[in-house]
Amino acid sequence: MQPSRTKPISSIISTCHALFCFHRTGRLNNSNIKENRSVVQATSTKDWLSRLVQVKAESGVFIPIPTDLHIYEGIEVGPKSCRSLTKHGICTVHDLLNITTRIENGKLGDISDDVKEKLIKAAEWRSLNADVVITKSFTKEVFVEFCKNRMDKNSDVPSMCGDMKHICKIVNIPPKSCLEMRKRGILNMNDFINAQKSGAMNEILQKREDLRRGLMQVLKWRGDNSTANILKELNQDTYDDIMCKGEDRVKFAHKYIRLSLGRPFKEANQSIFKDVEADKVLYAEVVTQAKNIIMESPNLREECGKFDYGTVLEGCLAHFHKLAGHPERMQRIQAIQGDTQSKKTPAGIGVPMSMGGYLKVPVVVLTKGVDESIDLTEKIKDLTKGTLTTSEHVVFGGPARRIGMTRSAMDMQIKSAFDGINHSGVIVISDTEAQVKRAIRAIEYYLDRVPGGHIILIEDEADAMYRTIDSRQKFEQAFIKLQELASVIFKVTATPESLLPLLVESILSGELDERDIDFTRFEPQESYISVVEDVKPLEVNDKKIYFEQNEVNIKTEFTSGGVTVGYANDKTFALYDDAVSHPKGVCVLDVSCPRVRAENNILDKGKAVQAIYLARGIRIISITFAGSGIDVLLPSGLTTTAARKIPLRNGDEIRIDTETKATISEDDEWSFSFTNNDWQRWRNSLIGEVIECMDVVFGLNVPIFKFGYRKMCRCISFRSNRRVPTHMVMMLGRGYSIGSVIQTLGRNTGNSRSELKENGFDSVTILTTREDLNMAVRLRNYLKEINDRIQRGETFAQAVTGGNAAIPDDANFLRTTYRKIGQIKGLRKQFEEMVIFDKSQPLNQEEKDCFNEKYGNDADAQMLLRCLMRLASGEKANRLVHIDDIKDDLEEMEPNKIAGRRLRQLLGEFVDKCLLKKDGKAWIVANVTWLGALLFEEEEDDYDNEGEEDHDDSCEFSDRKLSEEKNASATSLPAMISHASQINVCDEKSVSSLSISAMEMQVVRKTAPIANVSPEKSTPELKKRKVSELEV
């Protein structure tokens, strides 16, 4: 994007400065990116200058162009001074030679005296070296040496000895400070020692502790190497080794971490902050030391697997370092994305938890669901082994009764964890207003003890926390207050598609600095069962079986042996049959019945399925999982009245409800006495514990069927130590978002490849819609594409939106789903307008086959396809298609009508198939070429050569009438085809590449189905007329 000729001069100068800063630092801020997007493509000085010249030529106004960049770099002028110099027009050698006159006239009042002195010296060097090439001769080292020689020529000031002059050069003492040392008589190492004791060096070096420490380290080295030749043996490498190996450096880094890093801003600590800020080697020591201690736990490192925790910690430590030197509150956002159940907890929660323990910064973990927060608390306690956060300071912040505590006792436990002076702690809460406010009270208690302290907030399942566009829910309002208190926010989720547009919008609006946002993908381990590679659709007779959207609903029933099962059909039981055909380890997840208490609920379904298989001689265990708790139904023949001794899982005490009549004996073993043929409620147990109990009591040979809906969509892992999900039935309603579908599919996944194979399974079998399964694959591709682009150097916003290059079509997850993004209304539309996807590819053969299998012989569907093609690509094409437009076209162009209810049903099904997009009371055609590809194909009957002797002469059309019919039809499809080759109704950003000839060849074979035509109208003449109308 080039600046226009009407752009104001100040704006162009700002653009030039942005380019100059990019050349020097490689960084751009938000406004600079908006000013000239082509900046990011400038990779060299030559390229950069050519762009400036082009801007100057096109703008028609004077633009100061710095030509001698090596001078700026050699004298180490900062970005702020560069901007001032550029505005003053000091950009060439000629301008530099006249610098003294400008300074004397007071025209450079906004330039510091130090920079003015450097410019005067650079001008003097240039005047003495007028014939040399600047790019080859002028360097930082040359300039420093020139300044020192210039000082030596001053007869009024005594010179340093050769060794002291060389030491000042190696330690990088500024020329101004060297001159002051000479004026004060500090000419050798003995003079320096005396000045150090008297405090004179503090005044000379202006509290530059790093320089003073460097001189002291060299002095110590000189004492250990008294016979060394300083001029020959003390070089830059030797100095770096001295500083790196010096015990003082390690102690100083530890001191800085203890006093400043992660602690509140204090004016008294600014000297030590400036020392670390100025010394890159010292800062590297600080980061290395902090990372080593944070990740010193072998358990945590092993649990993190291939996660790049080093990069994440470096970014967070840099942010805490920045906070140590700035009193204003700043925020950093670290997004961590990983596949569902891929053990993201160690990476997304364990690493920041350990960092908080080391820096004594309290950590708040927010997750979705009370049961989930209880489970997560136990996981975090396991991760504290070997870290500076103790398990006793990891506290549950939910309902106290759920863990057998009083509210006052829980409050005391939270206060103890949020000490902040001697240690820090972790509080785990769920997504309710009451629990968020409890965390805020804990933070306020901490801030009273440590004013100005910092907080780490971890949002587990972060996408589920953003619900309304105006944040009107009480939880959201409390959540916003909690976010405002945090200095670092970790957003951990497997489905960040709803967060990405919100973060990009915050960047573009200036609310967030893009440099304070990082996106990291957590790559799963080799044992991970993935939705993409390891979850396969159900196959019957080598044919893949899918649900149609809402195929299983309240009216759907399956009957066998007099037992009726609601929310099920023959496809459902085909998957059930495939599951029970395996000998052991069967675990079926059924997420298709949304009812919990009403008729035909999950309890009814679980009991009916168990009864059907019991009649077939197969005993299964039915488990339901809802918000009210866990219910277990055992079939007859499995119940035991004798006490069974079973060792506890992992040696931990497992909470068992007394309603199960199960008790824990004194020697930590379970004993059971179940009631037969009745649901047993397990209110205080986690689902994993229940499954483990069933496995230990009854073995792996008994299949387990789990029925649920909303509670099975997120956070929960439905597995035991030896049994993992093997089959799934999933049918979520149209109102469920993309994230909910992915999270539900993720209940099949996890690091369970060995357990799956041990039980005789190569993959997980699923029965769901083709659109939902394909969408999951494409979304995974999109998230990997973002991570890859960021690794290649793109900014967060560029990677998310495809700013540099369009996102590939195989990563366009919106192409195969109608579902909304997140819970915020309108977020999908915002995402579609923000992200640039590549041109959609043609439908593949599987997509065509699935459509034609259902609609190939459906006359109404074929008529609607032809109608939509005419409306979307004819001469009067509209982006929005209304129901009245469809009815008018059908009445005018089609011999038969479609009933109103049937028409709306087909339109809804076409939306499910992603052929249409719903927009209020109208529809948008997704892609005209897709409609043409789905018109039913059948072999043409040759009416001219076959059956001439058999047809009835009374039904024959005259040649004139046939010609009229052909001409009439020619005004629709040919015109439609011609227009379709010029537009793409779905995407206004792109133009369809379909050619007229290709479309003609595609449609010429298509004829209207006649299977559903009524007998009195199905005549040879009508068939012949149909062919004539549709031939192109």
Side-chain angles (χ1 to χ4, degrees):
M1 181 179 71
Q2 299 294 341
S4 63
R5 294 180 179 276
T6 59
K7 206 164 200 174
I9 295 177
S10 61
S11 178
I12 296 175
I13 292 177
S14 178
T15 302
C16 297
H17 173 64
L19 291 164
F20 183 56
C21 291
F22 173 72
H23 169 73
R24 289 181 55 80
T25 65
R27 293 183 177 180
L28 288 172
N29 58 34
N30 230 18
S31 59
N32 293 338
I33 293 176
K34 294 179 181 178
E35 196 70 42
N36 195 317
R37 289 179 67 99
S38 64
V39 171
V40 295
Q41 300 175 0
T43 56
S44 65
T45 303
K46 184 176 181 181
D47 184 22
W48 178 74
L49 288 175
S50 65
R51 292 175 187 275
L52 277 184
V53 173
Q54 184 178 2
V55 171
K56 178 178 180 180
E58 292 185 358
S59 63
V61 298
F62 172 74
I63 300 176
I65 301 178
T67 55
D68 294 325
L69 297 177
H70 281 69
I71 292 180
Y72 284 95
E73 295 175 346
I75 63 179
E76 295 186 317
V77 176
K80 184 176 180 181
S81 299
C82 287
R83 181 175 184 175
S84 300
L85 292 171
T86 304
K87 289 185 177 180
H88 286 296
I90 303 175
C91 306
T92 64
V93 175
H94 178 74
D95 300 327
L96 192 64
L97 294 176
N98 297 328
I99 191 69
T100 305
T101 305
R102 294 198 182 196
I103 293 174
E104 291 174 352
N105 294 336
K107 293 184 179 181
L108 302 179
D110 56 341
I111 306 297
S112 65
D113 294 336
D114 185 45
V115 174
K116 291 177 183 177
E117 183 179 351
K118 289 181 179 180
L119 290 171
I120 293 174
K121 294 176 182 178
E124 182 180 350
W125 178 89
R126 181 57 177 165
S127 63
L128 297 174
N129 300 273
D131 298 329
V132 302
V133 179
I134 293 178
T135 56
K136 295 182 178 180
S137 303
F138 190 84
T139 62
K140 175 182 174 181
E141 292 74 15
V142 170
F143 180 68
V144 172
E145 188 66 24
F146 173 78
C147 292
K148 290 183 178 180
N149 293 335
R150 183 174 178 273
M151 286 192 301
D152 292 339
K153 294 178 181 178
N154 191 337
S155 58
D156 297 333
V157 182
S159 299
M160 292 180 177
C161 69
D163 287 351
M164 191 66 193
K165 187 187 300 183
H166 181 70
I167 290 172
C168 289
K169 177 182 177 181
I170 292 297
V171 180
N172 201 20
I173 305 295
K176 186 176 180 180
S177 299
C178 289
L179 180 60
E180 186 66 22
M181 291 172 64
R182 292 170 58 195
K183 288 180 180 180
R184 297 198 182 196
I186 305 174
L187 307 177
N188 52 47
M189 293 301 294
N190 292 330
D191 296 333
F192 168 75
I193 294 174
N194 294 330
Q196 177 72 13
K197 293 179 180 180
S198 64
M201 289 304 301
N202 289 341
E203 300 176 7
I204 295 174
L205 298 178
Q206 298 178 352
K207 298 183 180 181
R208 286 289 299 274
E209 178 68 23
D210 59 318
L211 300 179
R212 190 171 69 253
R213 189 172 61 256
L215 290 172
M216 292 298 296
Q217 287 295 325
V218 172
L219 177 63
K220 182 180 179 180
W221 174 84
R222 186 73 177 95
D224 297 335
N225 301 273
S226 57
T227 59
N229 188 328
I230 291 181
L231 295 177
K232 292 183 179 180
E233 298 182 29
L234 182 61
N235 52 33
Q236 192 63 46
D237 293 337
T238 305
Y239 176 72
D240 290 340
D241 291 338
I242 292 172
M243 298 303 293
C244 290
K245 296 177 181 178
E247 183 181 0
D248 182 63
R249 176 174 294 278
V250 177
K251 290 182 178 180
F252 190 86
H254 178 72
K255 177 183 177 182
Y256 171 70
I257 294 172
R258 179 173 54 84
L259 295 178
S260 298
L261 199 64
R263 310 309 294 164
F265 172 84
K266 289 184 180 179
E267 196 67 42
N269 294 335
Q270 289 311 289
S271 61
I272 189 173
F273 165 78
K274 292 178 181 179
D275 292 340
V276 177
E277 181 75 7
D279 191 339
K280 294 182 179 180
V281 178
L282 179 58
Y283 175 74
E285 173 64 29
V286 169
V287 174
T288 302
Q289 192 175 124
K291 286 198 302 183
N292 290 340
I293 297 178
I294 292 171
M295 298 303 297
E296 66 179 352
S297 168
N299 175 55
L300 182 59
R301 292 197 305 270
E302 182 180 355
E303 291 291 335
C304 284
K306 297 185 290 185
F307 179 62
D308 185 14
Y309 55 78
T311 302
V312 172
L313 286 176
E314 287 171 6
C316 293
L317 292 172
H319 183 71
F320 279 119
H321 169 66
K322 186 165 58 174
L323 291 174
H326 298 83
E328 64 273 11
R329 181 171 293 277
M330 295 175 286
Q331 201 171 76
R332 175 179 176 80
I333 294 178
Q334 175 67 57
I336 298 179
Q337 186 275 329
D339 295 338
T340 52
Q341 300 196 96
S342 58
K343 297 189 73 172
K344 298 184 295 297
T345 301
I349 299 179
V351 172
M353 174 270 298
S354 180
M355 178 172 63
Y358 177 53
L359 301 180
K360 297 180 182 178
V361 177
V363 179
V364 177
V365 180
L366 173 64
T367 189
K368 183 172 177 60
V370 176
D371 287 337
E372 293 82 347
S373 60
I374 295 174
D375 190 28
L376 185 58
T377 303
E378 299 303 319
K379 291 180 180 178
I380 296 175
K381 287 183 177 180
D382 292 339
L383 292 173
T384 59
K385 298 174 183 177
T387 70
L388 294 178
T389 301
T390 60
S391 60
E392 63 179 321
H393 294 142
V394 178
V395 297
F396 171 65
R401 59 179 175 78
R402 290 298 303 272
I403 57 174
M405 293 183 65
T406 63
R407 185 175 298 179
S408 59
M410 176 175 285
D411 291 340
M412 290 297 296
Q413 192 180 52
I414 293 174
K415 288 182 179 180
S416 174
F418 273 44
D419 176 272
I421 298 176
N422 302 310
H423 61 265
S424 70
V426 181
I427 179 173
V428 184
I429 58 175
S430 61
D431 54 338
T432 65
E433 178 196 13
Q435 294 188 41
V436 172
K437 287 184 175 180
R438 176 175 288 172
I440 292 175
R441 290 195 298 270
I443 294 173
E444 291 172 348
Y445 169 79
Y446 160 73
L447 293 178
D448 288 340
R449 293 173 56 82
V450 186
H454 305 297
I455 296 293
I456 297 174
L457 173 61
I458 304 174
E459 301 171 11
D460 188 34
E461 308 294 343
D463 59 301
M465 307 302 166
Y466 301 85
R467 300 171 182 177
T468 60
I469 193 170
D470 55 356
S471 302
R472 60 179 178 271
Q473 293 185 4
K474 291 183 178 180
F475 159 72
E476 292 178 291
Q477 295 169 8
F479 176 49
I480 291 174
K481 293 180 181 179
L482 178 62
Q483 286 181 312
E484 292 173 350
L485 294 172
S487 299
V488 178
I489 299 178
F490 283 79
K491 296 181 181 291
V492 184
T493 180
T495 50
E497 72 284 344
S498 61
L499 296 178
L500 300 179
L502 298 177
L503 293 176
V504 172
E505 184 65 27
S506 298
I507 293 172
L508 298 178
S509 64
E511 297 178 12
L512 291 174
D513 190 335
E514 192 164 19
R515 289 173 295 182
D516 291 330
I517 297 180
D518 192 18
F519 180 90
T520 304
R521 173 172 165 78
F522 176 72
E523 291 295 338
Q525 302 176 12
E526 288 77 8
S527 60
Y528 181 72
I529 296 296
S530 168
V531 171
V532 178
E533 291 88 8
D534 304 300
V535 177
K536 308 294 184 183
L538 173 67
E539 291 191 16
V540 177
N541 298 328
D542 296 329
K543 180 182 178 182
K544 294 180 181 179
I545 306 298
Y546 297 100
F547 271 144
E548 298 295 335
Q549 182 60 48
N550 285 19
E551 180 178 346
V552 174
N553 52 59
I554 184 59
K555 298 180 181 179
T556 309
E557 293 180 345
F558 180 87
T559 303
S560 176
V563 180
T564 300
V565 182
Y567 287 93
N569 59 10
D570 54 348
K571 294 181 181 178
T572 307
F573 271 79
L575 182 129
Y576 291 168
D577 292 341
D578 180 76
V580 298
S581 66
H582 292 79
K584 73 170 186 175
V586 175
C587 181
V588 179
L589 306 181
D590 189 312
V591 192
S592 61
C593 178
R595 295 191 165 196
V596 178
R597 295 184 179 88
E599 187 180 359
N600 285 334
N601 54 45
I602 53 177
L603 294 170
D604 297 335
K605 187 173 184 178
K607 193 167 187 177
V609 171
Q610 186 183 94
I612 288 176
Y613 281 104
L614 187 60
R616 300 178 184 180
I618 302 174
R619 292 179 175 84
I620 69 170
I621 297 174
S622 292
I623 299 176
T624 63
F625 186 50
S628 57
I630 302 169
D631 290 278
V632 179
L633 180 63
L634 300 174
S636 59
L638 287 180
T639 302
T640 176
T641 57
R644 298 287 302 273
K645 292 186 176 181
I646 303 142
L648 290 174
R649 177 163 59 93
N650 298 329
D652 298 331
E653 181 180 351
I654 295 183
R655 297 177 299 279
I656 303 297
D657 196 334
T658 55
E659 290 188 17
T660 62
K661 300 181 181 178
T663 59
I664 299 178
S665 59
E666 295 180 357
D667 56 346
D668 288 340
E669 294 178 344
W670 297 343
S671 61
F672 290 89
S673 177
F674 288 104
T675 302
N676 191 21
N677 297 330
D678 195 10
W679 288 100
Q680 299 293 329
R681 173 61 56 86
W682 296 51
R683 285 195 182 91
N684 296 330
S685 297
L686 301 178
I687 186 66
E689 298 169 348
V690 175
I691 301 171
E692 183 73 20
C693 173
M694 298 298 110
D695 288 349
V696 176
V697 175
F698 305 110
L700 293 176
N701 296 332
V702 181
I704 294 181
F705 282 55
K706 308 181 190 76
F707 302 90
Y709 203 70
R710 190 182 299 272
K711 287 287 287 184
M712 294 179 70
C713 289
R714 189 184 287 266
C715 301
I716 301 297
S717 179
F718 296 89
R719 61 163 295 169
S720 65
N721 285 339
R722 295 179 296 163
R723 188 192 299 262
V724 297
T726 59
H727 293 74
M728 173 181 259
V729 178
M730 187 187 78
M731 173 54 69
L732 296 181
R734 291 187 174 95
Y736 278 77
S737 65
I738 291 174
S740 296
V741 173
I742 301 300
Q743 291 284 354
T744 306
L745 285 171
R747 298 316 97 198
N748 296 302
T749 62
N751 296 317
S752 54
R753 188 176 303 279
S754 59
E755 291 84 356
L756 199 66
K757 289 189 175 181
E758 179 66 23
N759 293 331
F761 296 91
D762 295 325
S763 62
V764 178
T765 303
I766 189 170
L767 176 60
T768 185
T769 66
R770 183 184 58 82
E771 289 75 24
D772 283 345
L773 199 56
N774 289 344
M775 177 263 293
V777 175
R778 287 172 175 266
L779 179 58
R780 209 276 293 265
N781 293 343
Y782 173 68
L783 297 174
K784 291 189 70 174
E785 181 74 17
I786 292 176
N787 186 69
D788 293 343
R789 291 184 178 217
I790 291 177
Q791 296 298 321
R792 293 197 297 265
E794 292 190 17
T795 65
F796 175 80
Q798 290 170 346
V800 170
T801 61
N804 284 349
I807 305 294
D809 181 61
D810 64 352
N812 184 1
F813 60 96
L814 297 180
R815 169 185 164 175
T816 61
T817 185
Y818 61 87
R819 296 187 182 276
K820 61 184 180 181
I821 292 180
Q823 302 180 62
I824 298 178
K825 187 176 181 180
L827 200 57
R828 171 165 178 150
K829 185 176 181 181
Q830 179 182 347
F831 188 89
E832 290 175 333
E833 294 174 350
M834 182 180 295
V835 180
I836 303 173
F837 286 108
D838 203 356
K839 182 179 65 176
S840 296
Q841 298 298 314
L843 297 176
N844 57 42
Q845 192 59 44
E846 181 184 357
E847 291 172 321
K848 295 178 184 179
D849 293 343
C850 288
F851 185 88
N852 288 332
E853 181 179 352
K854 182 173 183 181
Y855 299 108
N857 293 320
D858 190 330
D860 292 341
Q862 294 296 313
M863 279 194 291
L864 182 57
L865 280 177
R866 295 194 298 272
C867 170
L868 293 173
M869 287 186 67
R870 288 190 292 265
L871 293 175
S873 54
E875 294 179 355
K876 298 181 180 180
N878 293 314
R879 185 171 185 270
L880 292 177
V881 178
H882 295 268
I883 189 70
D884 292 337
D885 300 330
I886 297 174
K887 290 180 178 179
D888 292 343
D889 181 85
L890 289 173
E891 184 176 355
E892 179 182 354
M893 304 303 299
E894 297 292 341
N896 301 314
K897 295 182 179 180
I898 305 177
R901 185 173 182 179
R902 172 62 175 160
L903 177 59
R904 290 189 175 276
Q905 177 188 351
L906 285 173
L907 289 171
E909 292 176 0
F910 282 11
V911 171
D912 295 339
K913 296 291 184 183
C914 301
L915 299 177
L916 298 177
K917 297 179 183 178
K918 194 75 169 68
D919 189 350
K921 295 183 179 181
W923 291 265
I924 303 172
V925 176
N927 193 306
V928 179
T929 60
W930 292 354
L931 298 182
L934 294 175
L935 280 173
F936 180 65
E937 298 182 13
E938 67 177 10
E939 296 181 3
E940 297 185 14
D941 295 326
D942 191 351
Y943 293 104
D944 295 331
N945 299 325
E946 297 181 9
E948 291 184 356
E949 299 178 358
D950 298 331
H951 73 272
D952 188 354
D953 292 339
S954 62
C955 298
E956 184 177 4
F957 289 99
S958 65
D959 294 339
R960 180 180 60 82
K961 193 167 185 178
L962 271 174
S963 178
E964 290 175 357
E965 295 292 344
K966 288 184 179 181
N967 293 335
S969 65
T971 61
S972 56
L973 285 178
M976 170 188 69
I977 294 166
S978 175
H979 195 64
S981 65
Q982 304 171 21
I983 66 171
N984 188 333
V985 181
C986 171
D987 192 353
E988 295 178 339
K989 301 175 186 177
S990 62
V991 179
S992 175
S993 61
L994 180 67
S995 65
I996 298 177
S997 59
M999 186 65 177
E1000 288 175 345
M1001 293 180 66
Q1002 188 178 36
V1003 179
V1004 71
R1005 301 188 308 272
K1006 302 186 187 301
T1007 60
I1010 58 177
N1012 293 340
V1013 179
S1014 57
E1016 61 272 19
K1017 294 183 179 181
S1018 181
T1019 61
E1021 300 91 312
L1022 183 58
K1023 293 182 180 180
K1024 195 168 185 179
R1025 179 182 175 185
K1026 276 291 183 182
V1027 175
S1028 300
E1029 286 180 344
L1030 292 173
E1031 284 183 344
V1032 180

